[in-house]
mmCIF file of all heavy atoms in Angstrom:
data_model
loop_
_atom_site.group_PDB
_atom_site.id
_atom_site.type_symbol
_atom_site.label_atom_id
_atom_site.label_comp_id
_atom_site.label_asym_id
_atom_site.label_seq_id
_atom_site.Cartn_x
_atom_site.Cartn_y
_atom_site.Cartn_z
ATOM 1 N N ARG A 507 70.251 59.110 -5.633
ATOM 2 C CA ARG A 507 69.827 58.531 -4.351
ATOM 3 C C ARG A 507 68.991 57.262 -4.535
ATOM 4 O O ARG A 507 69.205 56.265 -3.870
ATOM 5 C CB ARG A 507 69.032 59.553 -3.533
ATOM 6 C CG ARG A 507 68.635 59.025 -2.168
ATOM 7 C CD ARG A 507 67.654 59.962 -1.472
ATOM 8 N NE ARG A 507 67.424 59.543 -0.090
ATOM 9 C CZ ARG A 507 66.548 58.617 0.276
ATOM 10 N NH1 ARG A 507 65.826 58.000 -0.660
ATOM 11 N NH2 ARG A 507 66.387 58.290 1.535
ATOM 12 N N SER A 508 68.034 57.319 -5.435
ATOM 13 C CA SER A 508 67.133 56.179 -5.520
ATOM 14 C C SER A 508 67.863 54.952 -6.111
ATOM 15 O O SER A 508 67.623 53.808 -5.715
ATOM 16 C CB SER A 508 65.876 56.507 -6.342
ATOM 17 O OG SER A 508 66.246 56.818 -7.658
ATOM 18 N N LEU A 509 68.815 55.213 -6.990
ATOM 19 C CA LEU A 509 69.608 54.104 -7.545
ATOM 20 C C LEU A 509 70.469 53.472 -6.446
ATOM 21 O O LEU A 509 70.542 52.247 -6.285
ATOM 22 C CB LEU A 509 70.496 54.582 -8.691
ATOM 23 C CG LEU A 509 71.403 53.500 -9.296
ATOM 24 C CD1 LEU A 509 70.575 52.523 -10.131
ATOM 25 C CD2 LEU A 509 72.510 54.102 -10.146
ATOM 26 N N VAL A 510 71.113 54.328 -5.642
ATOM 27 C CA VAL A 510 71.948 53.818 -4.564
ATOM 28 C C VAL A 510 71.090 52.999 -3.576
ATOM 29 O O VAL A 510 71.432 51.876 -3.212
ATOM 30 C CB VAL A 510 72.693 54.948 -3.829
ATOM 31 C CG1 VAL A 510 73.425 54.400 -2.611
ATOM 32 C CG2 VAL A 510 73.668 55.647 -4.771
ATOM 33 N N ALA A 511 69.934 53.564 -3.190
ATOM 34 C CA ALA A 511 69.108 52.905 -2.191
ATOM 35 C C ALA A 511 68.617 51.544 -2.701
ATOM 36 O O ALA A 511 68.657 50.539 -1.980
ATOM 37 C CB ALA A 511 67.924 53.793 -1.817
ATOM 38 N N GLU A 512 68.171 51.509 -3.949
ATOM 39 C CA GLU A 512 67.640 50.255 -4.502
ATOM 40 C C GLU A 512 68.773 49.217 -4.606
ATOM 41 O O GLU A 512 68.614 48.076 -4.201
ATOM 42 C CB GLU A 512 66.998 50.514 -5.879
ATOM 43 C CG GLU A 512 66.340 49.317 -6.529
ATOM 44 C CD GLU A 512 64.926 49.004 -6.000
ATOM 45 O OE1 GLU A 512 64.315 49.842 -5.333
ATOM 46 O OE2 GLU A 512 64.453 47.866 -6.296
ATOM 47 N N THR A 513 69.933 49.648 -5.124
ATOM 48 C CA THR A 513 71.038 48.698 -5.328
ATOM 49 C C THR A 513 71.585 48.195 -3.988
ATOM 50 O O THR A 513 71.865 47.010 -3.829
ATOM 51 C CB THR A 513 72.154 49.379 -6.132
ATOM 52 O OG1 THR A 513 71.569 50.044 -7.259
ATOM 53 C CG2 THR A 513 73.152 48.371 -6.642
ATOM 54 N N VAL A 514 71.758 49.116 -3.057
ATOM 55 C CA VAL A 514 72.302 48.701 -1.747
ATOM 56 C C VAL A 514 71.272 47.898 -0.978
ATOM 57 O O VAL A 514 71.601 46.857 -0.363
ATOM 58 C CB VAL A 514 72.749 49.941 -0.928
ATOM 59 C CG1 VAL A 514 73.130 49.559 0.499
ATOM 60 C CG2 VAL A 514 73.912 50.645 -1.621
ATOM 61 N N GLY A 515 70.012 48.288 -1.025
ATOM 62 C CA GLY A 515 68.980 47.594 -0.254
ATOM 63 C C GLY A 515 68.775 46.155 -0.735
ATOM 64 O O GLY A 515 68.809 45.215 0.037
ATOM 65 N N ILE A 516 68.588 46.000 -2.051
ATOM 66 C CA ILE A 516 68.377 44.656 -2.593
ATOM 67 C C ILE A 516 69.648 43.825 -2.442
ATOM 68 O O ILE A 516 69.586 42.640 -2.088
ATOM 69 C CB ILE A 516 67.969 44.738 -4.093
ATOM 70 C CG1 ILE A 516 66.742 45.637 -4.289
ATOM 71 C CG2 ILE A 516 67.776 43.349 -4.686
ATOM 72 C CD1 ILE A 516 65.432 45.036 -4.048
ATOM 73 N N GLY A 517 70.779 44.465 -2.692
ATOM 74 C CA GLY A 517 72.042 43.775 -2.532
ATOM 75 C C GLY A 517 72.222 43.235 -1.128
ATOM 76 O O GLY A 517 72.701 42.124 -0.912
ATOM 77 N N ALA A 518 71.805 44.029 -0.136
ATOM 78 C CA ALA A 518 71.982 43.635 1.264
ATOM 79 C C ALA A 518 71.205 42.371 1.565
ATOM 80 O O ALA A 518 71.695 41.442 2.186
ATOM 81 C CB ALA A 518 71.522 44.772 2.178
ATOM 82 N N VAL A 519 69.951 42.308 1.081
ATOM 83 C CA VAL A 519 69.113 41.141 1.337
ATOM 84 C C VAL A 519 69.735 39.907 0.699
ATOM 85 O O VAL A 519 69.816 38.832 1.317
ATOM 86 C CB VAL A 519 67.692 41.385 0.788
ATOM 87 C CG1 VAL A 519 66.851 40.124 0.877
ATOM 88 C CG2 VAL A 519 67.020 42.520 1.535
ATOM 89 N N LYS A 520 70.188 40.026 -0.522
ATOM 90 C CA LYS A 520 70.752 38.884 -1.211
ATOM 91 C C LYS A 520 72.058 38.412 -0.542
ATOM 92 O O LYS A 520 72.263 37.224 -0.302
ATOM 93 C CB LYS A 520 71.091 39.245 -2.679
ATOM 94 C CG LYS A 520 69.867 39.451 -3.526
ATOM 95 C CD LYS A 520 70.312 39.658 -4.966
ATOM 96 C CE LYS A 520 69.119 39.839 -5.881
ATOM 97 N NZ LYS A 520 69.529 40.000 -7.263
ATOM 98 N N TYR A 521 72.920 39.369 -0.285
ATOM 99 C CA TYR A 521 74.237 39.023 0.259
ATOM 100 C C TYR A 521 74.103 38.369 1.617
ATOM 101 O O TYR A 521 74.772 37.383 1.936
ATOM 102 C CB TYR A 521 75.101 40.267 0.350
ATOM 103 C CG TYR A 521 76.578 39.998 0.493
ATOM 104 C CD1 TYR A 521 77.425 40.015 -0.585
ATOM 105 C CD2 TYR A 521 77.141 39.736 1.761
ATOM 106 C CE1 TYR A 521 78.772 39.757 -0.474
ATOM 107 C CE2 TYR A 521 78.490 39.479 1.907
ATOM 108 C CZ TYR A 521 79.306 39.513 0.777
ATOM 109 O OH TYR A 521 80.657 39.246 0.921
ATOM 110 N N ALA A 522 73.180 38.899 2.428
ATOM 111 C CA ALA A 522 72.983 38.339 3.774
ATOM 112 C C ALA A 522 72.590 36.864 3.650
ATOM 113 O O ALA A 522 73.033 36.032 4.440
ATOM 114 C CB ALA A 522 71.891 39.107 4.508
ATOM 115 N N ASP A 523 71.802 36.560 2.660
ATOM 116 C CA ASP A 523 71.345 35.193 2.480
ATOM 117 C C ASP A 523 72.485 34.310 1.951
ATOM 118 O O ASP A 523 72.773 33.246 2.453
ATOM 119 C CB ASP A 523 70.175 35.205 1.513
ATOM 120 C CG ASP A 523 69.360 33.950 1.573
ATOM 121 O OD1 ASP A 523 69.915 32.884 1.276
ATOM 122 O OD2 ASP A 523 68.180 34.013 1.965
ATOM 123 N N LEU A 524 73.158 34.796 0.923
ATOM 124 C CA LEU A 524 74.164 33.995 0.232
ATOM 125 C C LEU A 524 75.415 33.817 1.074
ATOM 126 O O LEU A 524 76.162 32.854 0.875
ATOM 127 C CB LEU A 524 74.541 34.655 -1.099
ATOM 128 C CG LEU A 524 73.392 34.659 -2.116
ATOM 129 C CD1 LEU A 524 73.733 35.557 -3.296
ATOM 130 C CD2 LEU A 524 73.096 33.248 -2.600
ATOM 131 N N SER A 525 75.643 34.723 2.041
ATOM 132 C CA SER A 525 76.870 34.600 2.844
ATOM 133 C C SER A 525 76.689 33.612 3.991
ATOM 134 O O SER A 525 77.619 33.314 4.712
ATOM 135 C CB SER A 525 77.304 35.978 3.369
ATOM 136 O OG SER A 525 76.273 36.547 4.114
ATOM 137 N N GLN A 526 75.463 33.109 4.165
ATOM 138 C CA GLN A 526 75.241 32.119 5.204
ATOM 139 C C GLN A 526 75.649 30.733 4.691
ATOM 140 O O GLN A 526 75.599 30.489 3.496
ATOM 141 C CB GLN A 526 73.757 32.038 5.563
ATOM 142 C CG GLN A 526 73.143 33.328 6.006
ATOM 143 C CD GLN A 526 73.724 33.814 7.297
ATOM 144 O OE1 GLN A 526 74.066 33.030 8.164
ATOM 145 N NE2 GLN A 526 73.852 35.112 7.424
ATOM 146 N N ASN A 527 76.005 29.892 5.633
ATOM 147 C CA ASN A 527 76.132 28.492 5.298
ATOM 148 C C ASN A 527 74.742 28.036 4.817
ATOM 149 O O ASN A 527 73.762 28.151 5.505
ATOM 150 C CB ASN A 527 76.534 27.742 6.554
ATOM 151 C CG ASN A 527 76.670 26.249 6.308
ATOM 152 O OD1 ASN A 527 76.242 25.745 5.282
ATOM 153 N ND2 ASN A 527 77.261 25.579 7.248
ATOM 154 N N ARG A 528 74.706 27.537 3.568
ATOM 155 C CA ARG A 528 73.429 27.223 2.958
ATOM 156 C C ARG A 528 72.543 26.297 3.783
ATOM 157 O O ARG A 528 71.328 26.461 3.837
ATOM 158 C CB ARG A 528 73.722 26.595 1.565
ATOM 159 C CG ARG A 528 72.586 25.879 0.933
ATOM 160 C CD ARG A 528 72.888 25.645 -0.529
ATOM 161 N NE ARG A 528 74.000 24.759 -0.820
ATOM 162 C CZ ARG A 528 74.043 23.463 -0.601
ATOM 163 N NH1 ARG A 528 73.051 22.876 -0.017
ATOM 164 N NH2 ARG A 528 75.095 22.750 -0.949
ATOM 165 N N THR A 529 73.153 25.320 4.424
ATOM 166 C CA THR A 529 72.330 24.275 5.054
ATOM 167 C C THR A 529 71.820 24.642 6.458
ATOM 168 O O THR A 529 71.042 23.907 7.032
ATOM 169 C CB THR A 529 73.113 22.970 5.100
ATOM 170 O OG1 THR A 529 74.457 23.257 5.422
ATOM 171 C CG2 THR A 529 73.068 22.274 3.752
ATOM 172 N N THR A 530 72.273 25.751 7.001
ATOM 173 C CA THR A 530 71.781 26.086 8.342
ATOM 174 C C THR A 530 70.727 27.188 8.267
ATOM 175 O O THR A 530 70.628 27.912 7.273
ATOM 176 C CB THR A 530 72.935 26.563 9.247
ATOM 177 O OG1 THR A 530 73.613 27.617 8.583
ATOM 178 C CG2 THR A 530 73.903 25.449 9.552
ATOM 179 N N ASP A 531 69.948 27.309 9.336
ATOM 180 C CA ASP A 531 68.996 28.393 9.439
ATOM 181 C C ASP A 531 69.741 29.680 9.740
ATOM 182 O O ASP A 531 70.840 29.640 10.266
ATOM 183 C CB ASP A 531 68.020 28.122 10.597
ATOM 184 C CG ASP A 531 67.217 26.834 10.388
ATOM 185 O OD1 ASP A 531 67.216 26.311 9.267
ATOM 186 O OD2 ASP A 531 66.620 26.356 11.381
ATOM 187 N N TYR A 532 69.171 30.820 9.408
ATOM 188 C CA TYR A 532 69.803 32.059 9.856
ATOM 189 C C TYR A 532 68.734 33.051 10.284
ATOM 190 O O TYR A 532 67.594 33.020 9.833
ATOM 191 C CB TYR A 532 70.734 32.653 8.792
ATOM 192 C CG TYR A 532 70.064 33.378 7.642
ATOM 193 C CD1 TYR A 532 69.843 34.754 7.686
ATOM 194 C CD2 TYR A 532 69.683 32.672 6.494
ATOM 195 C CE1 TYR A 532 69.245 35.435 6.631
ATOM 196 C CE2 TYR A 532 69.065 33.338 5.430
ATOM 197 C CZ TYR A 532 68.856 34.704 5.499
ATOM 198 O OH TYR A 532 68.270 35.355 4.458
ATOM 199 N N VAL A 533 69.156 33.935 11.213
ATOM 200 C CA VAL A 533 68.228 34.919 11.752
ATOM 201 C C VAL A 533 68.308 36.188 10.896
ATOM 202 O O VAL A 533 69.380 36.726 10.685
ATOM 203 C CB VAL A 533 68.578 35.236 13.225
ATOM 204 C CG1 VAL A 533 67.669 36.318 13.761
ATOM 205 C CG2 VAL A 533 68.458 33.963 14.077
ATOM 206 N N PHE A 534 67.178 36.602 10.444
ATOM 207 C CA PHE A 534 67.084 37.776 9.585
ATOM 208 C C PHE A 534 67.334 39.028 10.415
ATOM 209 O O PHE A 534 66.649 39.245 11.418
ATOM 210 C CB PHE A 534 65.667 37.784 8.965
ATOM 211 C CG PHE A 534 65.507 38.813 7.882
ATOM 212 C CD1 PHE A 534 65.715 38.451 6.564
ATOM 213 C CD2 PHE A 534 65.157 40.119 8.195
ATOM 214 C CE1 PHE A 534 65.545 39.386 5.547
ATOM 215 C CE2 PHE A 534 64.993 41.038 7.187
ATOM 216 C CZ PHE A 534 65.194 40.668 5.871
ATOM 217 N N SER A 535 68.303 39.839 10.043
ATOM 218 C CA SER A 535 68.611 41.039 10.818
ATOM 219 C C SER A 535 68.942 42.215 9.910
ATOM 220 O O SER A 535 69.947 42.193 9.209
ATOM 221 C CB SER A 535 69.765 40.759 11.778
ATOM 222 O OG SER A 535 70.461 41.956 12.076
ATOM 223 N N TRP A 536 68.092 43.225 9.926
ATOM 224 C CA TRP A 536 68.332 44.411 9.098
ATOM 225 C C TRP A 536 69.670 45.030 9.433
ATOM 226 O O TRP A 536 70.420 45.439 8.534
ATOM 227 C CB TRP A 536 67.257 45.460 9.340
ATOM 228 C CG TRP A 536 65.918 45.116 8.779
ATOM 229 C CD1 TRP A 536 64.752 44.974 9.486
ATOM 230 C CD2 TRP A 536 65.565 44.880 7.409
ATOM 231 N NE1 TRP A 536 63.718 44.642 8.629
ATOM 232 C CE2 TRP A 536 64.209 44.595 7.354
ATOM 233 C CE3 TRP A 536 66.305 44.881 6.208
ATOM 234 C CZ2 TRP A 536 63.530 44.314 6.164
ATOM 235 C CZ3 TRP A 536 65.639 44.594 5.027
ATOM 236 C CH2 TRP A 536 64.277 44.318 5.019
ATOM 237 N N GLU A 537 69.931 45.132 10.757
ATOM 238 C CA GLU A 537 71.116 45.841 11.192
ATOM 239 C C GLU A 537 72.376 45.187 10.607
ATOM 240 O O GLU A 537 73.231 45.858 10.077
ATOM 241 C CB GLU A 537 71.202 45.707 12.689
ATOM 242 C CG GLU A 537 71.306 47.026 13.416
ATOM 243 C CD GLU A 537 71.022 46.777 14.876
ATOM 244 O OE1 GLU A 537 69.824 46.726 15.239
ATOM 245 O OE2 GLU A 537 71.994 46.568 15.595
ATOM 246 N N LYS A 538 72.446 43.865 10.726
ATOM 247 C CA LYS A 538 73.629 43.144 10.253
ATOM 248 C C LYS A 538 73.771 43.283 8.748
ATOM 249 O O LYS A 538 74.842 43.504 8.232
ATOM 250 C CB LYS A 538 73.518 41.682 10.628
ATOM 251 C CG LYS A 538 74.212 41.341 11.915
ATOM 252 C CD LYS A 538 74.604 39.846 11.866
ATOM 253 C CE LYS A 538 74.299 39.223 13.221
ATOM 254 N NZ LYS A 538 73.940 37.806 13.094
#
Side-chain angles (χ1 to χ4, degrees):
R507 183 189 189 276
S508 63
L509 178 73
V510 173
E512 184 80 14
T513 313
V514 172
I516 305 278
V519 172
K520 290 186 178 181
Y521 197 97
D523 198 296
L524 294 169
S525 57
Q526 304 295 325
N527 179 347
R528 164 165 65 68
T529 39
T530 53
D531 299 346
Y532 77 92
V533 177
F534 190 93
S535 153
W536 289 119
E537 236 166 277
K538 265 205 223 149

